[in-house]
Amino acid sequence: MTAGLCATSVAACEPATPSPERADVQVGETSATNPIAAPSCAADQLTGTLEPGSPGAGQRYATLVLTNKSGPACTVDGYGDLRLADADDTALPTDSWREPDPAPTPVVLAQGDAAQRELHWTVVRAPEEPADGPCQPEPERLEVTPPDRAGLIPVPWSFGPVCQHGWLGGGAYTAR
């Protein structure tokens, strides 16, 4: 099911090291050849939302949107980390993975600008998941860690359980 995908522990799929700052990069611009013009976004600079995608054949999709709510510009470059959690702040099974397309490119966010990441998961049970009831506990939120940073951005989750032991992932952030 994950052929051609990069697991979060695979070094080849890690975001590239940011290049030195340059003044000629435009806010909101993304380019593999343009270095970062602003520091990495910290969790407390961002808000997150999930927009539902079109489901089909046991597959589910949503767009994760991170918006810069702070004054200074900052950069999102890569994948970050994802963790599902319940109402009691308990981490739920999450098998976060990284798809190589789209590849990481710096997205500079001025205040109010956003970056997005397409997410994909399944509601098809793994053989060892319960046959009756939900395949996994239902998350209350998705906890997002921005690329190259620590801290969590809580994002409400209303999409039901994530089967296959919390198998959830997608490509890198892109400009919105």
Side-chain angles (χ1 to χ4, degrees), residues 4-174:
L5 303 178
C6 300
T8 56
S9 62
V10 177
C13 296
E14 291 296 318
T17 303
S19 302
E21 293 184 9
R22 275 190 16 204
D24 62 338
V25 177
Q26 300 298 308
V27 173
E29 181 176 331
T30 60
S31 168
T33 60
N34 257 342
I36 297 171
S40 294
C41 296
D44 63 356
Q45 291 178 277
L46 302 169
T47 60
T49 58
L50 281 168
E51 299 172 351
S54 297
Q59 305 304 304
R60 301 295 183 262
Y61 304 90
T63 302
L64 173 59
V65 179
L66 297 181
T67 303
N68 181 353
K69 66 178 180 177
S70 70
C74 62
T75 302
V76 173
D77 184 10
Y79 301 88
D81 198 18
L82 306 171
R83 183 174 72 182
L84 298 166
D86 68 12
D88 296 326
D89 293 328
T90 303
L92 299 177
T94 309
D95 182 10
S96 179
W97 52 271
R98 298 172 179 187
E99 187 174 312
D101 185 31
T105 57
V107 181
V108 179
L109 304 177
Q111 184 175 8
D113 286 345
Q116 66 183 24
R117 180 178 180 199
E118 301 302 321
L119 299 181
H120 173 220
W121 67 97
T122 184
V123 294
V124 176
R125 298 168 192 278
E128 62 280 357
E129 289 178 323
D132 295 327
C135 59
Q136 292 291 324
E138 187 165 344
E140 180 172 294
R141 71 181 167 284
L142 177 66
E143 294 176 336
V144 179
T145 302
D148 301 325
R149 289 302 207 157
L152 298 173
I153 304 162
V155 181
W157 182 272
S158 61
F159 301 102
V162 179
C163 296
Q164 301 285 328
H165 309 285
W167 183 79
L168 173 70
Y173 288 99
T174 59

